[in-house]
Amino acid sequence: MAQTNKENKDNKNSNEEFNWNRVFKIVLGWSAILIGFFLIMIYTKGGESKSTEITFDQYQKLLTEKKIESATIKKSDNNYEFAGKLRNPEMLTVGGRQVNIDRFTLYLPYTNVDDSVIKAWNENIATYNIERDDGGWIGPVLNALPWILIIAFWIILMRRMQNGGSGGTKGIFSFGKSKAKMMTGSQMKITFADVAGADEAKQELSEIIEFLKSPGKFQKLGGKIPRGVLLLGPPGTGKTLLARAVAGEAGVPFFSISGADFVEMFVGVGASRVRDLFDQGKKNAPCIIFIDEIDAVGRHRGAGLGGGHDEREQTLNQLLIEMDGFEQNSGVIIIAATNRPDILDPALLRPGRFDRQVVVDRPDVKGREGILKVHTRRIPLSKDIKLDVLAKGTPGFSGADLANLVNEAALLAARRNSDSVTMRDLEDAKDKVMMGTERKSLIISEREKRTTSYHETGHVLVAKYTPEADPVHKVTIIPRGRALGVTTYLPMDEKHTYSKEYLEAMITYAMGGRAAEKLVFNEYTTGASNDIERSTSIARKMVCEFGMSEKLGPITYGNKQEEVFLGKELHEHKNYSETTQILIDDEIKKIVNAGMDRAMRILTEHIDELHRLSEVLLEREILDSDEIDKVIRGETLPPVEKNGDANNGQQAKESKETAKASETVIPES
C-alpha cells in the first residue's frame, strides 16, 4: 500500500509539473544541429568552384576568340551572372596583376538577353545553359530565420517568467516563493565536533537529533516532536554554527533563510514566502528549517507609536499560524536564532511554537580553550603553544572573536615568513584584536612619554599593593588604537558576581594613574579621562543598582530606560526626590574620592619603586608580570634591543574587560 501511494504521488507530481528544462534543451540542441547543417551546406556550395571575376571587355575578347568551352548563365531579378570555363588556361590582368585562370565569372550588363546575344553564344561557346536563380531551399530558410529567432526568444522569456521548474532559476513572478537554501546530508560537513564551548546547548540539541533519527522511540511513550528551538545569545557565539551542526548530525534536509528575506516591497509577499517555505518543508519531512535573525520579522506586534497592521505583522501572523495551526507540521522542526529576545512577540515564544529556548552564551575558560583547539586544527603550531594560557587571557571573547584571533596569528606568521604559528604570533594577534594596531609612526614628545610612563606605572603599583585587585599582567607605553599606554590585568578565575571590596579595588587602581600624575608632576592631564569615566560608572551602579551604600540602603534608584520601539517608556522617570539625588551624588563622590585617596597613600609609601619602575618602562616600553616583580624587588633586568620586534615578541596575556579601565585616551579634536 505504501508503495502504491508513493507511485501515485510521483505520477501526480510528474503530471502537474511540466519539465521546461528538458523542452528547452531539446529545442536548443536541434536548433544548433540545423544551423550547423546550413553552414556546412553553404560552405560546401561556395567551395565547389573557385572562379575569378573578370571585366566585360575581357569577356568579350574571350568570347570572340572562341576560348570559352562551357558556361552557365543564371538569371536573377535584374541581371545575369555568367560563369564560364575556358578551353585552356589564360593569363589575364585581374586587379593589376597577371593571373592564370581557367574559370571566371562576371555580371552581364543586360536587363534582357536578345537574339543577338543568343546567336553569339551559339557560335562561340561549345555548351551553355540558362537557369533562373531562385536561391533553392536556402532562401526560404534565411527568410524564416528572423521568425525562428523571435519565437525562440519568446519561449526563453516565458520560461524565465515562470517558476523555472525544480532547481531552475527563479523568475520575475516568483517573488512569492521562498528564498530558503536547501542543503542535503552530502552538502553539510559540519558536525558537533566542529562546535566547542557550548556543551549545554549541544546537549539540548542532541535530543532533537535523536528524535529525527528514531522518532518511534519517543512516540511510543506519547512524546511529541518539539516544534521549535530558539537559540539565544550575543553575536558571534555560534548560534548559526550550532544549527548547521544539528542538520549535519541528523542527516536530514536543512533549509536556511534569514528573517530579512521574508520582507519585500510588495504587500503579502512575506506571508506567501512563509507558506511556501513550510510547503517545501512538508515535502521533504523530516527536515530542519533554520531562520536566522528572526527578530527581523518576529518583533512585538503593535510596537511603536500607533502600531499598525503592516507587512511585517502579516508575515509574523502567517509564521504563527504555520508553526501552530490546525494542520500539524509533522517532521518539520524550526530552529531560530536571535540576539534580541527582548523584542520578540510573546506569542512567538510560547510553548507549542518554540518549545525550547537554548541560551548560547559567551564561553568560559574551558570553552575558549576548546574553541581554540577547533580553530587551530588545520594550522601548523609550534611546540611552545599554550592554548590554556591564551584562553585564560581572553575573558569575554566569543567564538567569532577567537576565530578572528587565530586567523590574525596565521597572517602574522605568514608575514614573518614562518613555517608555523608560534605563541608570539598568537599573543601579538591578541594585542591587535583587543587594543588595536601599534601606531609606531605616532610622534610623542619626551615629556608626554614620561607622563604616560608614570601614569601606567601608577596603575601597576596600586594594583600590586591592593589585595582585592586582579594580578597585573602587562604594562606598555606603545601607542595602540586610541590609547597612548595600556595596563592589563589577568583575572585569576571567571567572575559572575562582584563583591563590594572588589569594585572598590577596581576604582582604586583605575585612579592610580591620576594619583601618580598628581604626586610626581603636581598636575592633571586628560589621560585619566577614561579612568574617571569608568570609576564614576562603577560607583553609580554600586549606589543606585547594587545597594552598596550604607546611607541609602538596599534600594534601586532610577528606572532603566525602555526601548522606544517596544512601545513602552519614552522617557526615564525618576522614582526619587531631589533630596535623594543630592545624597546619591554625595555617595558617588565619596566612593571615587576614597579610591583616589587610597591610591595616593599607596604611591606615597612606594615612591622609590614608582620612579624605578617608570624609568625601566621608559627604557623598555613594555614589561610583563615577571619583569615588573623583578624591578619592584630592585633586581636589574637584562638589556634588550629597543625595536618593534623585540617589544612585540614578549607575551601578552591581558584582559579585554579590565584593559579599558586603565587605558590612556587621546582627546578628540
Side-chain angles (χ1 to χ4, degrees), residues 10 160 163 182 256 280 347 383 657:
D10 294 338
R160 302 281 288 185
N163 191 18
M182 177 180 176
S256 177
Q280 293 182 38
K383 297 181 179 179
E657 296 180 346

Side-chain angles (χ1 to χ4, degrees), residues 148-162:
I148 295 174
L149 294 176
I150 292 174
I151 294 173
F153 176 76
W154 178 80
I155 292 174
I156 295 173
L157 181 63
M158 293 301 296
R159 181 180 177 273
R160 302 281 288 185
M161 292 170 64
Q162 297 296 325

Side-chain angles (χ1 to χ4, degrees), residues 310-461:
D310 58 4
E311 170 67 9
R312 180 182 53 78
E313 290 192 5
Q314 292 186 33
T315 306
L316 176 58
N317 292 336
Q318 187 63 45
L319 182 62
L320 296 176
I321 293 172
E322 292 290 344
M323 290 189 67
D324 188 20
F326 286 102
E327 183 181 357
Q328 301 297 326
N329 298 316
S330 58
V332 180
I333 296 179
I334 311 298
I335 300 180
T338 181
N339 52 26
R340 296 296 308 275
D342 55 317
I343 66 174
L344 294 179
D345 194 275
L348 192 64
L349 300 176
R350 74 162 178 84
R353 292 195 173 103
F354 285 110
D355 301 286
R356 297 185 180 182
Q357 298 184 17
V358 179
V359 178
V360 187
D361 207 350
R362 299 184 185 276
D364 56 8
V365 61
K366 291 294 183 183
R368 292 195 298 272
E369 184 179 353
I371 294 172
L372 288 171
K373 289 180 180 179
V374 170
H375 290 298
T376 55
R377 285 186 304 187
R378 298 176 178 85
I379 296 178
L381 302 177
S382 63
K383 297 181 179 179
D384 65 335
I385 295 294
K386 298 179 180 178
L387 296 180
D388 55 337
V389 176
L390 191 65
K392 190 176 181 181
T394 51
F397 270 41
S398 64
D401 296 329
L402 294 173
N404 184 38
L405 188 151
V406 173
N407 183 62
E408 288 288 345
L411 295 178
L412 284 174
R415 198 177 304 158
R416 293 167 177 168
N417 298 321
S418 178
D419 296 332
S420 61
V421 177
T422 63
M423 195 68 182
R424 169 189 171 186
D425 299 323
L426 289 171
E427 295 290 350
D428 290 348
K430 186 175 65 172
D431 288 347
K432 184 178 180 180
V433 171
M434 298 176 66
M435 298 181 294
T437 308
E438 290 185 6
R439 296 187 296 164
K440 298 179 181 179
S441 61
L442 184 64
I443 300 175
I444 304 175
S445 64
E446 288 297 326
R447 176 174 175 80
E448 194 172 18
K449 194 173 182 181
R450 186 175 180 86
T451 303
T452 304
S453 175
Y454 273 99
H455 182 101
E456 300 301 330
T457 303
H459 288 309
V460 173
L461 281 180

Side-chain angles (χ1 to χ4, degrees), residues 416 424 428 438 440 478 620 622 627 640-651:
R416 293 167 177 168
R424 169 189 171 186
D428 290 348
E438 290 185 6
K440 298 179 181 179
I478 300 175
R620 303 172 76 94
I622 183 171
E627 293 171 338
V640 294
E641 297 180 3
K642 290 185 62 178
N643 53 52
D645 291 340
N647 292 326
N648 290 337
Q650 302 189 33
Q651 296 183 357

Side-chain angles (χ1 to χ4, degrees), residues 40-111:
I40 292 172
M41 292 295 294
I42 294 173
Y43 178 79
T44 305
K45 186 175 181 181
E48 288 179 355
S49 62
K50 296 182 180 179
S51 303
T52 305
E53 188 173 358
I54 62 176
T55 63
F56 184 73
D57 294 337
Q58 291 173 335
Y59 156 75
Q60 289 279 38
K61 184 179 180 182
L62 294 173
L63 182 63
T64 55
E65 295 178 357
K66 299 182 179 181
K67 294 182 177 181
I68 302 175
E69 180 181 0
S70 61
T72 301
I73 300 97
K74 294 181 181 179
K75 184 180 185 305
S76 301
D77 294 336
N78 296 318
N79 56 20
Y80 291 85
E81 182 183 0
F82 190 97
K85 181 182 179 184
L86 300 178
R87 299 179 186 275
N88 298 306
E90 292 285 333
M91 294 294 294
L92 299 177
T93 303
V94 180
R97 61 189 182 92
Q98 295 291 323
V99 180
N100 190 14
I101 63 173
D102 60 346
R103 296 178 183 272
F104 66 93
T105 59
L106 78 155
Y107 287 94
L108 301 176
Y110 304 141
T111 57

Side-chain angles (χ1 to χ4, degrees), residues 343-631:
I343 66 174
L344 294 179
D345 194 275
L348 192 64
L349 300 176
R350 74 162 178 84
R353 292 195 173 103
F354 285 110
D355 301 286
R356 297 185 180 182
Q357 298 184 17
V358 179
V359 178
V360 187
D361 207 350
R362 299 184 185 276
D364 56 8
V365 61
K366 291 294 183 183
R368 292 195 298 272
E369 184 179 353
I371 294 172
L372 288 171
K373 289 180 180 179
V374 170
H375 290 298
T376 55
R377 285 186 304 187
R378 298 176 178 85
I379 296 178
L381 302 177
S382 63
K383 297 181 179 179
D384 65 335
I385 295 294
K386 298 179 180 178
L387 296 180
D388 55 337
V389 176
L390 191 65
K392 190 176 181 181
T394 51
F397 270 41
S398 64
D401 296 329
L402 294 173
N404 184 38
L405 188 151
V406 173
N407 183 62
E408 288 288 345
L411 295 178
L412 284 174
R415 198 177 304 158
R416 293 167 177 168
N417 298 321
S418 178
D419 296 332
S420 61
V421 177
T422 63
M423 195 68 182
R424 169 189 171 186
D425 299 323
L426 289 171
E427 295 290 350
D428 290 348
K430 186 175 65 172
D431 288 347
K432 184 178 180 180
V433 171
M434 298 176 66
M435 298 181 294
T437 308
E438 290 185 6
R439 296 187 296 164
K440 298 179 181 179
S441 61
L442 184 64
I443 300 175
I444 304 175
S445 64
E446 288 297 326
R447 176 174 175 80
E448 194 172 18
K449 194 173 182 181
R450 186 175 180 86
T451 303
T452 304
S453 175
Y454 273 99
H455 182 101
E456 300 301 330
T457 303
H459 288 309
V460 173
L461 281 180
V462 172
K464 279 288 184 180
Y465 291 103
T466 303
E468 301 87 1
D470 291 320
V472 179
H473 179 62
K474 188 182 72 172
V475 59
T476 177
I477 56 174
I478 300 175
R480 285 182 176 273
R482 298 180 64 241
L484 293 177
V486 179
T487 303
T488 58
Y489 312 88
L490 189 65
M492 295 299 294
D493 51 10
E494 297 281 337
K495 290 184 174 65
H496 303 285
T497 59
Y498 302 92
S499 64
K500 181 181 179 181
E501 290 75 15
Y502 180 78
L503 296 177
E504 290 176 345
M506 290 181 65
I507 296 174
T508 301
Y509 63 68
M511 302 302 294
R514 180 179 172 90
E517 294 177 1
K518 178 64 177 178
L519 189 62
V520 176
F521 303 101
N522 195 26
E523 64 180 11
Y524 296 120
T525 68
T526 59
S529 62
N530 185 260
D531 303 326
I532 297 173
E533 179 183 353
R534 184 171 175 84
S535 300
T536 306
S537 176
I538 294 174
R540 184 173 297 278
K541 289 181 178 180
M542 290 174 63
V543 174
C544 298
E545 297 181 25
F546 304 151
M548 295 181 178
S549 172
E550 295 182 0
K551 185 178 292 186
L552 295 172
I555 299 175
T556 299
Y557 296 95
N559 294 328
K560 293 183 179 180
Q561 187 174 1
E562 301 285 354
E563 302 290 348
V564 176
F565 56 80
L566 292 182
K568 298 182 180 179
E569 298 291 341
L570 296 178
H571 303 284
E572 182 179 0
H573 297 284
K574 294 183 178 180
N575 55 1
Y576 50 87
S577 64
E578 296 294 332
T579 304
T580 306
Q581 177 68 62
I582 296 173
L583 294 177
I584 291 173
D585 294 340
D586 290 340
E587 285 295 294
I588 294 173
K589 184 178 180 181
K590 178 182 176 182
I591 294 174
V592 176
N593 286 338
M596 179 70 178
D597 296 338
R598 186 181 178 185
M600 288 289 292
R601 289 196 304 270
I602 293 174
L603 294 179
T604 303
E605 295 174 0
H606 303 87
I607 187 68
D608 295 335
E609 299 173 11
L610 178 66
H611 292 303
R612 185 164 64 249
L613 191 60
S614 177
E615 294 297 329
V616 176
L617 184 59
L618 274 173
E619 178 186 354
R620 303 172 76 94
E621 294 185 339
I622 183 171
L623 296 172
D624 59 18
S625 58
D626 295 335
E627 293 171 338
I628 292 172
D629 293 336
K630 290 180 180 179
V631 174

